[in-house]
Amino acid sequence: MTLFPNISVGRRIYLSVLSVFVVFAAAFIVFQQNREKQYKIDSLNIRLQDYNTRMEESMQNMKTIDEHTLDDYVREHAMPELRVTLIDRHGRVFYDSRLKDYSNLPNHLSRPEVKAAVTTGQGSTVERNSTTLNDYFFYSATRFNPSGLIIRSALPYDNNLAESLRADQHYIWFALSALALLTLILYRFTSRLGRNITKLRLFAYRADRGDSLDTEDLVAFPNDELGEIAEKIVKIYKRLQNTRHEQDILKRQLTQNIAHELKTPVASIQGYLETILDNPRIDEATRQQFLQRSYAQAQRLTSLLQDISTLNRMDDAPNEMELGRVDIAAMVEGIEKDTAMQLEARHMAFVNQLPEHLTVNGNQSLLYSVFRNLTDNAIAYAGEGTTINLTAEEVGDEWHFSFSDNGVGVAAEHLPRIFERFYRVDKGRSRKMGGTGLGLAIVKNAVLMHGGKISVHNRPTGGLEFNFYIRKDGKRSN
């Protein structure tokens, strides 16, 4: 349950902190007032105690102590309207500057200031009513040893004395001024905070409903740290929203491309099989040819699905790939042997200049796809009679690779898009060669997942060159 229901957060904070300020200011004023009043009372008591002490010292030097002598001393040394009373150890009054009827004065041992003086040596009371004079006095009594004499001095507690004992009011105005200043500062701060929170709440409401965030009330925030944080939150959300929108567009394009790529081999397989089924008397040679073509399209379909699965795995769980020591030199030797017949059929040469036992910490399957796809791509498109060159150089904690050929190269306008999924320089030729259009996209993503980067350019002497590096530890770059 909140203290201030149905009030904005900024106003609630303002009222809560203001309440604390007011309570603190009131407590400070009361404490300071009592403290200053007590200080003035103590100061007055010290003056009266000093008077009592000096009077006792003078009495010791008097030749005779009688009513007349004491009256003369009080007149000469008294403060205005001062009353002086002398009391013996038994509480009997034997001198009073105001009253002279000592026989009718009661015993004074029960008086608070006298009782305190007997016990501790001195005592005082503020604004005590005198039973003999029926008036209010400020009393200060002092006991002197060894005689036990008690000298009590008193001032009437009238308006003048009350005014002198009253606390100074200047600090109250100072406290109230400080409170007003703090209130103003607090109001400005909480107002900014309230505007930030209000805008963030509006932002959250619109974001939850999917409404537009490009409105004037969400453009500018107060120029402070909270406003800066709130503005960054909105910008980050907009950026994520735009990224999500771009991803949705890419997913739709990818889905369309996948559907288009799958349609071709499926339609071919369906057409060949329908021809065989609709013509049961077709000759064996034609049947065998159609079945072989269906099998080739099925293989292409399998390769396409495998490539799509590989890309999805890299997109969905990049941090879950299993890492281990991978001997790239041995891996490339295996690829060279596996593609030997294809290289020979196209009169191509593979010059492998990798150092022996070139190893990195990485994922075996993805690193294999890098070098196998580059090799297959060169075999398919470099041209007959060309040479493939593969070199590597150790640079710090990375291996820098160069994979090149001296073939026909690629037109410059196609180079920026060569790593895009399903992008083909020559669509008809690519499909005829059985490519899926995903090989180089897999290469790029696999290199990135091993903390590297890849680039491609046409060689001045002809052909295509891929330059990429892979971290030895296989860690992905941030």
Side-chain angles (χ1 to χ4, degrees), residues 29 53 95 99 159-160 171 174 187 199 265 271 275 301 334 366 374 391 406 410 418 426 440:
I29 291 173
T53 301
Y95 174 78
L99 296 174
N159 290 336
N160 292 331
Y171 73 90
F174 172 78
Y187 178 77
K199 287 194 174 186
T275 301
L301 187 60
L366 294 182
L374 289 175
T391 61
N406 58 350
V410 173
I418 200 170
D426 186 343
L440 292 182

PDB file of all heavy atoms in Angstrom, residues 29 53 95 99 159-160 171 174 187 199 265 271 275 301 334 366 374 391 406 410 418 426 440:
ATOM      1  N   ILE A  29      14.687  22.443  14.366  1.00  0.00           N
ATOM      2  CA  ILE A  29      14.297  23.715  14.984  1.00  0.00           C
ATOM      3  C   ILE A  29      14.002  23.522  16.473  1.00  0.00           C
ATOM      4  O   ILE A  29      14.454  24.299  17.319  1.00  0.00           O
ATOM      5  CB  ILE A  29      13.071  24.304  14.256  1.00  0.00           C
ATOM      6  CG1 ILE A  29      13.479  24.770  12.846  1.00  0.00           C
ATOM      7  CG2 ILE A  29      12.459  25.454  15.045  1.00  0.00           C
ATOM      8  CD1 ILE A  29      12.309  25.206  11.983  1.00  0.00           C
ATOM      9  N   THR A  53      29.183  33.431  45.010  1.00  0.00           N
ATOM     10  CA  THR A  53      30.550  33.157  45.471  1.00  0.00           C
ATOM     11  C   THR A  53      31.240  34.436  45.918  1.00  0.00           C
ATOM     12  O   THR A  53      31.906  34.484  46.972  1.00  0.00           O
ATOM     13  CB  THR A  53      31.350  32.476  44.349  1.00  0.00           C
ATOM     14  OG1 THR A  53      30.694  31.265  43.976  1.00  0.00           O
ATOM     15  CG2 THR A  53      32.773  32.162  44.802  1.00  0.00           C
ATOM     16  N   TYR A  95      18.453  36.242  56.321  1.00  0.00           N
ATOM     17  CA  TYR A  95      18.545  37.507  55.589  1.00  0.00           C
ATOM     18  C   TYR A  95      17.823  37.352  54.251  1.00  0.00           C
ATOM     19  O   TYR A  95      17.951  36.327  53.556  1.00  0.00           O
ATOM     20  CB  TYR A  95      19.999  37.922  55.336  1.00  0.00           C
ATOM     21  CG  TYR A  95      20.083  39.156  54.440  1.00  0.00           C
ATOM     22  CD1 TYR A  95      19.838  40.424  54.966  1.00  0.00           C
ATOM     23  CD2 TYR A  95      20.360  39.044  53.073  1.00  0.00           C
ATOM     24  CE1 TYR A  95      19.869  41.557  54.164  1.00  0.00           C
ATOM     25  CE2 TYR A  95      20.396  40.170  52.270  1.00  0.00           C
ATOM     26  CZ  TYR A  95      20.149  41.420  52.820  1.00  0.00           C
ATOM     27  OH  TYR A  95      20.173  42.526  52.013  1.00  0.00           O
ATOM     28  N   LEU A  99      12.244  40.642  51.881  1.00  0.00           N
ATOM     29  CA  LEU A  99      11.405  40.419  53.058  1.00  0.00           C
ATOM     30  C   LEU A  99      12.241  40.523  54.322  1.00  0.00           C
ATOM     31  O   LEU A  99      13.365  40.012  54.366  1.00  0.00           O
ATOM     32  CB  LEU A  99      10.739  39.035  52.987  1.00  0.00           C
ATOM     33  CG  LEU A  99       9.746  38.826  51.830  1.00  0.00           C
ATOM     34  CD1 LEU A  99       9.278  37.378  51.799  1.00  0.00           C
ATOM     35  CD2 LEU A  99       8.559  39.777  51.961  1.00  0.00           C
ATOM     36  N   ASN A 159       8.781  39.668  31.810  1.00  0.00           N
ATOM     37  CA  ASN A 159       8.916  39.676  30.349  1.00  0.00           C
ATOM     38  C   ASN A 159      10.357  39.911  29.909  1.00  0.00           C
ATOM     39  O   ASN A 159      10.821  39.341  28.911  1.00  0.00           O
ATOM     40  CB  ASN A 159       8.015  40.762  29.758  1.00  0.00           C
ATOM     41  CG  ASN A 159       6.548  40.402  29.898  1.00  0.00           C
ATOM     42  OD1 ASN A 159       6.207  39.232  30.005  1.00  0.00           O
ATOM     43  ND2 ASN A 159       5.679  41.412  29.921  1.00  0.00           N
ATOM     44  N   ASN A 160      11.070  40.745  30.633  1.00  0.00           N
ATOM     45  CA  ASN A 160      12.453  41.032  30.257  1.00  0.00           C
ATOM     46  C   ASN A 160      13.327  39.782  30.367  1.00  0.00           C
ATOM     47  O   ASN A 160      14.121  39.474  29.474  1.00  0.00           O
ATOM     48  CB  ASN A 160      13.016  42.153  31.137  1.00  0.00           C
ATOM     49  CG  ASN A 160      12.346  43.480  30.871  1.00  0.00           C
ATOM     50  OD1 ASN A 160      11.877  43.723  29.747  1.00  0.00           O
ATOM     51  ND2 ASN A 160      12.292  44.342  31.873  1.00  0.00           N
ATOM     52  N   TYR A 171      18.089  31.495  13.398  1.00  0.00           N
ATOM     53  CA  TYR A 171      18.387  30.183  12.821  1.00  0.00           C
ATOM     54  C   TYR A 171      17.117  29.504  12.315  1.00  0.00           C
ATOM     55  O   TYR A 171      17.161  28.648  11.417  1.00  0.00           O
ATOM     56  CB  TYR A 171      19.083  29.294  13.859  1.00  0.00           C
ATOM     57  CG  TYR A 171      18.180  28.791  14.950  1.00  0.00           C
ATOM     58  CD1 TYR A 171      17.488  27.586  14.815  1.00  0.00           C
ATOM     59  CD2 TYR A 171      18.000  29.512  16.108  1.00  0.00           C
ATOM     60  CE1 TYR A 171      16.660  27.122  15.812  1.00  0.00           C
ATOM     61  CE2 TYR A 171      17.174  29.065  17.105  1.00  0.00           C
ATOM     62  CZ  TYR A 171      16.501  27.862  16.956  1.00  0.00           C
ATOM     63  OH  TYR A 171      15.676  27.413  17.942  1.00  0.00           O
ATOM     64  N   PHE A 174      16.717  30.780   8.970  1.00  0.00           N
ATOM     65  CA  PHE A 174      17.735  30.111   8.145  1.00  0.00           C
ATOM     66  C   PHE A 174      17.298  28.697   7.780  1.00  0.00           C
ATOM     67  O   PHE A 174      17.430  28.274   6.624  1.00  0.00           O
ATOM     68  CB  PHE A 174      19.061  30.073   8.907  1.00  0.00           C
ATOM     69  CG  PHE A 174      20.109  29.232   8.223  1.00  0.00           C
ATOM     70  CD1 PHE A 174      20.814  29.704   7.125  1.00  0.00           C
ATOM     71  CD2 PHE A 174      20.380  27.950   8.682  1.00  0.00           C
ATOM     72  CE1 PHE A 174      21.766  28.919   6.497  1.00  0.00           C
ATOM     73  CE2 PHE A 174      21.322  27.156   8.051  1.00  0.00           C
ATOM     74  CZ  PHE A 174      22.028  27.641   6.958  1.00  0.00           C
ATOM     75  N   TYR A 187      12.026  19.627  -6.171  1.00  0.00           N
ATOM     76  CA  TYR A 187      10.915  19.684  -7.131  1.00  0.00           C
ATOM     77  C   TYR A 187      11.430  19.618  -8.564  1.00  0.00           C
ATOM     78  O   TYR A 187      10.874  18.899  -9.408  1.00  0.00           O
ATOM     79  CB  TYR A 187      10.119  20.962  -6.909  1.00  0.00           C
ATOM     80  CG  TYR A 187       8.977  21.126  -7.888  1.00  0.00           C
ATOM     81  CD1 TYR A 187       7.796  20.408  -7.736  1.00  0.00           C
ATOM     82  CD2 TYR A 187       9.104  21.991  -8.986  1.00  0.00           C
ATOM     83  CE1 TYR A 187       6.753  20.547  -8.641  1.00  0.00           C
ATOM     84  CE2 TYR A 187       8.070  22.128  -9.885  1.00  0.00           C
ATOM     85  CZ  TYR A 187       6.896  21.410  -9.716  1.00  0.00           C
ATOM     86  OH  TYR A 187       5.881  21.531 -10.619  1.00  0.00           O
ATOM     87  N   LYS A 199       7.460   9.364 -19.840  1.00  0.00           N
ATOM     88  CA  LYS A 199       7.778   9.043 -21.235  1.00  0.00           C
ATOM     89  C   LYS A 199       8.125   7.569 -21.393  1.00  0.00           C
ATOM     90  O   LYS A 199       7.750   6.935 -22.393  1.00  0.00           O
ATOM     91  CB  LYS A 199       8.933   9.913 -21.721  1.00  0.00           C
ATOM     92  CG  LYS A 199       8.536  11.364 -21.952  1.00  0.00           C
ATOM     93  CD  LYS A 199       9.590  12.113 -22.738  1.00  0.00           C
ATOM     94  CE  LYS A 199       9.119  13.516 -23.091  1.00  0.00           C
ATOM     95  NZ  LYS A 199      10.059  14.222 -23.980  1.00  0.00           N
ATOM     96  N   PRO A 265      14.766 -29.325 -58.245  1.00  0.00           N
ATOM     97  CA  PRO A 265      15.048 -30.767 -58.235  1.00  0.00           C
ATOM     98  C   PRO A 265      13.805 -31.617 -58.010  1.00  0.00           C
ATOM     99  O   PRO A 265      13.674 -32.708 -58.593  1.00  0.00           O
ATOM    100  CB  PRO A 265      16.047 -30.932 -57.078  1.00  0.00           C
ATOM    101  CG  PRO A 265      15.866 -29.727 -56.226  1.00  0.00           C
ATOM    102  CD  PRO A 265      15.470 -28.626 -57.150  1.00  0.00           C
ATOM    103  N   GLY A 271       8.956 -35.154 -62.700  1.00  0.00           N
ATOM    104  CA  GLY A 271       8.752 -35.285 -64.144  1.00  0.00           C
ATOM    105  C   GLY A 271       9.310 -36.600 -64.685  1.00  0.00           C
ATOM    106  O   GLY A 271       8.644 -37.288 -65.486  1.00  0.00           O
ATOM    107  N   THR A 275       7.034 -39.749 -66.120  1.00  0.00           N
ATOM    108  CA  THR A 275       7.263 -40.270 -67.482  1.00  0.00           C
ATOM    109  C   THR A 275       7.398 -41.792 -67.457  1.00  0.00           C
ATOM    110  O   THR A 275       6.827 -42.495 -68.308  1.00  0.00           O
ATOM    111  CB  THR A 275       8.536 -39.647 -68.076  1.00  0.00           C
ATOM    112  OG1 THR A 275       8.388 -38.226 -68.103  1.00  0.00           O
ATOM    113  CG2 THR A 275       8.773 -40.157 -69.493  1.00  0.00           C
ATOM    114  N   LEU A 301      19.221 -32.413 -54.076  1.00  0.00           N
ATOM    115  CA  LEU A 301      18.258 -32.063 -53.043  1.00  0.00           C
ATOM    116  C   LEU A 301      18.821 -32.367 -51.659  1.00  0.00           C
ATOM    117  O   LEU A 301      18.677 -31.568 -50.724  1.00  0.00           O
ATOM    118  CB  LEU A 301      16.956 -32.837 -53.278  1.00  0.00           C
ATOM    119  CG  LEU A 301      15.768 -32.480 -52.377  1.00  0.00           C
ATOM    120  CD1 LEU A 301      15.390 -31.020 -52.537  1.00  0.00           C
ATOM    121  CD2 LEU A 301      14.575 -33.374 -52.709  1.00  0.00           C
ATOM    122  N   GLY A 334      43.214 -34.885 -47.376  1.00  0.00           N
ATOM    123  CA  GLY A 334      42.081 -35.785 -47.627  1.00  0.00           C
ATOM    124  C   GLY A 334      41.156 -35.228 -48.692  1.00  0.00           C
ATOM    125  O   GLY A 334      40.651 -35.967 -49.545  1.00  0.00           O
ATOM    126  N   LEU A 366      32.795 -27.946 -39.485  1.00  0.00           N
ATOM    127  CA  LEU A 366      32.712 -26.632 -40.110  1.00  0.00           C
ATOM    128  C   LEU A 366      34.000 -26.275 -40.842  1.00  0.00           C
ATOM    129  O   LEU A 366      33.958 -25.685 -41.935  1.00  0.00           O
ATOM    130  CB  LEU A 366      32.399 -25.572 -39.048  1.00  0.00           C
ATOM    131  CG  LEU A 366      31.024 -25.668 -38.384  1.00  0.00           C
ATOM    132  CD1 LEU A 366      30.838 -24.530 -37.389  1.00  0.00           C
ATOM    133  CD2 LEU A 366      29.916 -25.628 -39.433  1.00  0.00           C
ATOM    134  N   LEU A 374      35.357 -24.339 -50.878  1.00  0.00           N
ATOM    135  CA  LEU A 374      36.238 -23.537 -51.719  1.00  0.00           C
ATOM    136  C   LEU A 374      36.815 -24.378 -52.855  1.00  0.00           C
ATOM    137  O   LEU A 374      36.925 -23.900 -53.997  1.00  0.00           O
ATOM    138  CB  LEU A 374      37.368 -22.932 -50.870  1.00  0.00           C
ATOM    139  CG  LEU A 374      36.972 -21.820 -49.903  1.00  0.00           C
ATOM    140  CD1 LEU A 374      38.165 -21.410 -49.056  1.00  0.00           C
ATOM    141  CD2 LEU A 374      36.428 -20.609 -50.661  1.00  0.00           C
ATOM    142  N   THR A 391      47.868 -21.575 -49.556  1.00  0.00           N
ATOM    143  CA  THR A 391      49.023 -21.272 -48.703  1.00  0.00           C
ATOM    144  C   THR A 391      48.517 -20.800 -47.342  1.00  0.00           C
ATOM    145  O   THR A 391      47.355 -20.421 -47.185  1.00  0.00           O
ATOM    146  CB  THR A 391      49.913 -20.175 -49.308  1.00  0.00           C
ATOM    147  OG1 THR A 391      49.148 -18.964 -49.438  1.00  0.00           O
ATOM    148  CG2 THR A 391      50.425 -20.590 -50.685  1.00  0.00           C
ATOM    149  N   ASN A 406      43.853 -19.569 -60.998  1.00  0.00           N
ATOM    150  CA  ASN A 406      44.214 -18.703 -62.124  1.00  0.00           C
ATOM    151  C   ASN A 406      43.197 -18.819 -63.245  1.00  0.00           C
ATOM    152  O   ASN A 406      43.539 -18.773 -64.429  1.00  0.00           O
ATOM    153  CB  ASN A 406      45.617 -19.035 -62.638  1.00  0.00           C
ATOM    154  CG  ASN A 406      45.735 -20.491 -63.082  1.00  0.00           C
ATOM    155  OD1 ASN A 406      44.836 -21.300 -62.849  1.00  0.00           O
ATOM    156  ND2 ASN A 406      46.845 -20.835 -63.733  1.00  0.00           N
ATOM    157  N   VAL A 410      35.635 -13.489 -61.431  1.00  0.00           N
ATOM    158  CA  VAL A 410      34.229 -13.101 -61.305  1.00  0.00           C
ATOM    159  C   VAL A 410      34.118 -11.615 -61.628  1.00  0.00           C
ATOM    160  O   VAL A 410      34.985 -10.826 -61.237  1.00  0.00           O
ATOM    161  CB  VAL A 410      33.698 -13.374 -59.874  1.00  0.00           C
ATOM    162  CG1 VAL A 410      32.296 -12.815 -59.703  1.00  0.00           C
ATOM    163  CG2 VAL A 410      33.711 -14.871 -59.578  1.00  0.00           C
ATOM    164  N   ILE A 418      28.970 -12.188 -53.302  1.00  0.00           N
ATOM    165  CA  ILE A 418      29.326 -13.577 -53.588  1.00  0.00           C
ATOM    166  C   ILE A 418      29.092 -14.502 -52.398  1.00  0.00           C
ATOM    167  O   ILE A 418      28.913 -15.715 -52.548  1.00  0.00           O
ATOM    168  CB  ILE A 418      30.798 -13.662 -54.074  1.00  0.00           C
ATOM    169  CG1 ILE A 418      31.022 -14.972 -54.834  1.00  0.00           C
ATOM    170  CG2 ILE A 418      31.762 -13.508 -52.907  1.00  0.00           C
ATOM    171  CD1 ILE A 418      32.359 -15.015 -55.539  1.00  0.00           C
ATOM    172  N   ASP A 426      26.207 -16.988 -62.261  1.00  0.00           N
ATOM    173  CA  ASP A 426      25.584 -17.515 -63.493  1.00  0.00           C
ATOM    174  C   ASP A 426      24.593 -18.580 -63.051  1.00  0.00           C
ATOM    175  O   ASP A 426      24.963 -19.724 -62.791  1.00  0.00           O
ATOM    176  CB  ASP A 426      26.644 -18.112 -64.423  1.00  0.00           C
ATOM    177  CG  ASP A 426      26.065 -18.545 -65.775  1.00  0.00           C
ATOM    178  OD1 ASP A 426      24.831 -18.682 -65.862  1.00  0.00           O
ATOM    179  OD2 ASP A 426      26.850 -18.737 -66.716  1.00  0.00           O
ATOM    180  N   LEU A 440      29.452 -20.859 -50.444  1.00  0.00           N
ATOM    181  CA  LEU A 440      30.282 -19.744 -49.976  1.00  0.00           C
ATOM    182  C   LEU A 440      29.667 -19.057 -48.754  1.00  0.00           C
ATOM    183  O   LEU A 440      30.400 -18.499 -47.923  1.00  0.00           O
ATOM    184  CB  LEU A 440      30.483 -18.730 -51.107  1.00  0.00           C
ATOM    185  CG  LEU A 440      31.328 -19.229 -52.285  1.00  0.00           C
ATOM    186  CD1 LEU A 440      31.504 -18.127 -53.327  1.00  0.00           C
ATOM    187  CD2 LEU A 440      32.689 -19.718 -51.801  1.00  0.00           C
TER     188      LEU A 440
END
